[in-house]
Amino acid sequence: MKKRIMTLALLVAAVLLISGCSTGQTMTNASKDRQVRAGEEADGQKETEEDVLVLAYPKDLGDMNPHTMTSPMYAQDWVYDGLTALVNGEIVPELAESWEISGDGKQYIFHLRKGVKFSDGSDLTAELVSKNIQDVIDNKEGYTFLQCLEEITSMEVPDKDTLVMHLAHPCNSLLSDLSFNRPLVIAGEAAFPDSGSIYRDGVKKPIGTGMWTVKEVVQDQYTLFARNPYYWGEKPSFSYVRVEVIPEIETVINALKAGEIDMYIDVNDGLSADVYRELEGLGFSVDMAEGTQVTSLSLNTAGEILGDVSVRQALSWATDNTVISEMVYGGLQKPASSYFADSISLAQTGADRYNYQPEKAVWLLEEAGWKLEEGRDYRTKNGAELEVDMLYDTVFKNGKTIGLVLQEQYKNVGVKLNICEEDSQIFRKKWKEGDFGMILYSSWGGSYEPFATLAAMRTNGDKFSTVQKGMENKEELDQVMNHALRETDEEKLREDFAYIMDSFFEQAVYIPLTVSSTLAVYNSSLEGLDLEGGKDVMPVGSVKRKQ
């Protein structure tokens, strides 16, 4: 065991060394050289350096279309609100201050907060809420995972503060679907193009009811957000937030050390445990919150090799996710126990789980006819070597490192793992078409779990369904997942989930690896960051400078 861990450590260290030696880009415009232009906020307060919180993010702002997924989540969070929000795993009121659900689950009456205004000073009305939601319904082909878009048959507006939704069937996901930061968020009338469809033709202006507004954008350099003077909730301490576009994590770290940015909230797994702890040792404040995304291996149940359930079960027993937790993430991401995070209560059914028992893997492979001949590293059957391709998206920063750990573990039981990195477009294409052995992927998490994920899994042709295509009970499983999306009786709903989770285990469809964590590093002069209590991806509204 000691030798195995040492070998893995050398492999992981090699990958980290290679990535650490790459040259990060130099910031051509330092924070101090790009001060906010002098001006006045709506309340008359002058902009000052102390009034600006500076962050970094790896990508540009995009088009800020609230009804598509083309802009960063954090920006859509900051500018737009939905009827509901997800806070600490619970659905809470946002633009709707309350709602009622009919006994048969087919009618929802939403009562809007009174006095809410958009960032241009116009009023929030039920008519506008209906217009936004209808725009998404009219273009629902891109959102097969949003069950509510299939179920909403009509909407009516009895008065300016009330919206009534009529559904064809009960919809367990409706309130969580409405809490997503996209696409069912609400934009103001001034955001709509002449065609009336933001989804198809984009926004004229990013006008929302959120905490922040977009004040200035310099493409591929930075976005300046200003505090929304009409915001209906508690106003943030800072008047402005500037988000620098810095793709390379090495450049982010240097900018933190140089005082060119105030804070970095890592939502993309770019920050290693070593760097996180180094910055803490240098006097930076740090924070961490456990997330709801789970990194897993999705096994191709219809594949040439992994179509055999015995081989899938063997790989499940051969995987030690505690090593990945410690060696790849330095213990900052804990080992996962199932496809869904433990915080998703419906998925906690008591289903059996695999743990690291390589001897069971060896026995299963032997029984399946995969023999390890003397002098060979990998098993063979009918002259063919036992090898599996692990596919991952190039944006998955730790994909290679995780692959090297798994490669060593699977070699111990005679399985050859090929690590295959692809750009995002090819990755998604191969996944959808079933051209893979296993997929390394992080689940959606948040409001998407569990119902949006089930909706995708049961949709024929969806990449999530492709993974399950070879399951012996796939037809029945789809029926149960469909039932779970509409079942209003809690006991029956839990029975559905028990069947779903048992099926995943018995047929070894997924190998859970780790549960995500959000990390934050920031200047010690700041306080008030709450990574757990806010709804936003980057919840900076409560951050302030220490007095």
Side-chain angles (χ1 to χ4, degrees):
M1 174 65 75
K2 184 175 180 180
K3 181 179 179 182
R4 181 174 70 86
I5 291 177
M6 286 297 294
T7 303
L8 288 171
L10 290 172
L11 286 170
V12 173
V15 172
L16 294 177
L17 181 61
I18 291 170
S19 62
C21 291
S22 62
T23 303
Q25 67 178 46
T26 302
M27 291 183 68
T28 57
N29 294 298
S31 172
K32 61 184 179 181
D33 297 326
R34 194 159 63 218
Q35 296 302 323
V36 181
R37 292 182 177 87
E40 301 272 340
E41 216 184 359
D43 58 8
Q45 182 179 355
K46 278 232 175 180
E47 301 169 3
T48 67
E49 184 176 354
E50 287 297 306
D51 241 359
V52 184
L53 178 68
V54 185
L55 285 79
Y57 192 78
K59 295 181 180 180
D60 206 357
L61 183 69
D63 61 11
M64 285 302 288
N65 188 325
H67 298 167
T68 66
M69 299 193 172
T70 51
S71 284
M73 284 188 180
Y74 86 85
Q76 289 169 306
D77 270 340
W78 287 4
V79 172
Y80 304 110
D81 292 325
L83 289 177
T84 63
L86 183 74
V87 177
N88 290 326
E90 299 290 332
I91 297 296
V92 299
E94 193 162 63
L95 293 182
E97 64 180 359
S98 64
W99 53 84
E100 294 125 34
I101 307 172
S102 63
D104 62 3
K106 294 195 288 186
Q107 179 178 279
Y108 284 67
I109 303 175
F110 293 95
H111 303 282
L112 304 186
R113 292 184 186 274
K114 292 180 173 57
V116 174
K117 292 183 179 295
F118 290 96
S119 57
D120 63 353
S122 61
D123 293 332
L124 172 72
T125 65
E127 195 66 50
L128 258 177
V129 173
S130 176
K131 183 176 181 177
N132 276 266
I133 294 173
Q134 190 62 52
D135 186 33
V136 181
I137 292 174
D138 291 343
N139 298 279
K140 63 185 177 184
E141 297 79 11
Y143 299 113
T144 55
F145 56 88
L146 292 178
Q147 179 67 16
C148 73
L149 302 183
E150 295 291 335
E151 303 295 0
I152 298 172
T153 57
S154 64
M155 291 178 285
E156 58 181 294
V157 180
D159 58 62
K160 66 182 182 65
D161 297 319
T162 307
L163 175 71
V164 181
M165 288 184 185
H166 299 283
L167 281 60
H169 306 93
C171 182
N172 284 327
S173 67
L174 178 64
L175 294 177
S176 57
D177 290 351
L178 293 171
S179 73
F180 295 171
N181 49 39
R182 55 195 186 186
L184 291 166
V185 290
I186 311 305
E189 185 62 50
F192 278 82
D194 294 340
S195 67
S197 176
I198 290 177
Y199 179 92
R200 292 194 307 271
D201 300 317
V203 288
K204 278 188 173 180
K205 299 177 182 178
I207 304 297
T209 58
M211 186 179 292
W212 303 99
T213 66
V214 178
K215 181 177 177 66
E216 181 183 12
V217 180
V218 178
Q219 189 171 354
D220 296 326
Q221 293 188 41
Y222 69 93
T223 300
L224 179 66
F225 295 88
R227 183 169 60 193
N228 179 2
Y230 299 104
Y231 183 54
W232 55 271
E234 184 176 349
K235 297 227 177 7
S237 298
F238 283 93
S239 296
Y240 301 90
V241 177
R242 188 171 65 248
V243 180
E244 304 276 355
V245 180
I246 309 180
E248 300 296 332
I249 189 64
E250 293 88 355
T251 312
V252 172
I253 295 163
N254 290 334
L256 275 167
K257 291 178 178 178
E260 295 169 336
I261 61 174
D262 297 311
M263 175 179 289
Y264 181 66
I265 300 177
D266 183 26
V267 295
N268 297 299
D269 285 349
L271 199 60
S272 72
D274 287 344
V275 170
Y276 178 79
R277 289 169 178 141
E278 176 202 348
L279 292 170
E280 183 180 20
L282 291 173
F284 286 91
S285 296
V286 298
D287 198 1
M288 179 178 74
E290 183 178 311
T292 54
Q293 291 179 289
V294 173
T295 297
S296 296
L297 296 169
S298 298
L299 309 189
N300 189 348
T301 59
E304 183 178 356
I305 300 296
L306 296 183
D308 184 344
V309 66
S310 295
V311 179
R312 300 199 302 270
Q313 290 171 339
L315 291 176
S316 297
W317 290 117
T319 304
D320 187 354
N321 61 6
T322 63
V323 175
I324 293 172
S325 170
E326 289 299 326
M327 299 195 66
V328 179
Y329 294 107
L332 297 181
Q333 292 196 13
K334 74 175 188 181
S337 57
S338 78
Y339 183 89
F340 296 106
D342 291 346
S343 58
I344 310 300
S345 60
L346 279 172
Q348 306 313 308
T349 62
D352 289 334
R353 293 167 180 177
Y354 295 94
N355 48 51
Y356 182 59
Q357 296 188 51
E359 65 279 3
K360 285 190 176 182
V362 169
W363 182 84
L364 282 165
L365 293 172
E366 289 284 340
E367 288 294 302
W370 292 98
K371 305 299 182 181
L372 186 61
E373 299 174 4
E374 187 173 349
R376 298 184 68 103
D377 288 329
Y378 304 110
R379 297 176 180 276
T380 58
K381 181 178 179 180
N382 299 327
E385 199 168 60
L386 179 52
E387 61 179 315
V388 177
D389 291 344
M390 186 201 81
L391 187 67
Y392 74 96
D393 193 327
T394 189
V395 301
F396 197 117
K397 298 184 184 300
N398 290 305
K400 178 73 171 182
T401 315
I402 291 173
L404 288 172
V405 174
L406 293 170
Q407 200 172 59
E408 184 73 12
Q409 291 181 358
Y410 294 164
K411 184 178 180 180
N412 288 337
V413 297
V415 179
K416 182 179 180 180
L417 182 69
N418 301 316
I419 305 169
C420 307
E421 178 181 346
E422 297 285 6
D423 69 60
S424 298
Q425 186 175 359
I426 295 175
F427 171 76
R428 290 191 294 267
K429 183 175 185 291
K430 286 189 171 185
W431 184 356
K432 186 174 182 178
E433 294 176 353
D435 185 14
F436 64 92
M438 56 173 63
I439 291 285
L440 178 66
Y441 181 73
S442 291
S443 63
W444 289 334
S447 302
Y448 295 89
E449 310 294 9
F451 295 112
T453 296
L454 293 190
M457 288 177 172
R458 62 85 213 252
T459 301
N460 186 36
D462 192 287
K463 60 184 183 291
F464 286 89
S465 181
T466 299
V467 171
Q468 303 172 358
K469 189 175 180 180
M471 294 178 69
E472 61 184 28
N473 67 332
K474 176 57 174 167
E475 184 176 349
E476 183 178 357
L477 178 63
D478 285 350
Q479 292 173 358
V480 173
M481 288 192 288
N482 269 322
H483 187 263
L485 292 170
R486 296 172 174 172
E487 180 54 66
T488 57
D489 183 281
E490 185 171 351
E491 184 176 345
K492 292 179 181 179
L493 181 60
R494 291 194 176 277
E495 289 175 3
D496 288 341
F497 270 89
Y499 177 87
I500 292 165
M501 301 307 292
D502 284 344
S503 296
F504 290 171
F505 169 78
E506 291 164 5
Q507 298 191 49
V509 185
Y510 306 101
I511 301 177
L513 300 178
T514 60
V515 181
S516 67
S517 291
T518 299
L519 306 178
V521 181
Y522 50 100
N523 191 293
S524 60
S525 67
L526 300 173
E527 64 182 357
L529 179 66
D530 185 1
L531 293 178
E532 295 181 342
K535 76 174 185 72
D536 296 340
V537 176
M538 299 202 302
V540 300
S542 58
V543 176
K544 59 184 179 181
R545 296 201 188 277
K546 294 177 181 177
Q547 298 299 315

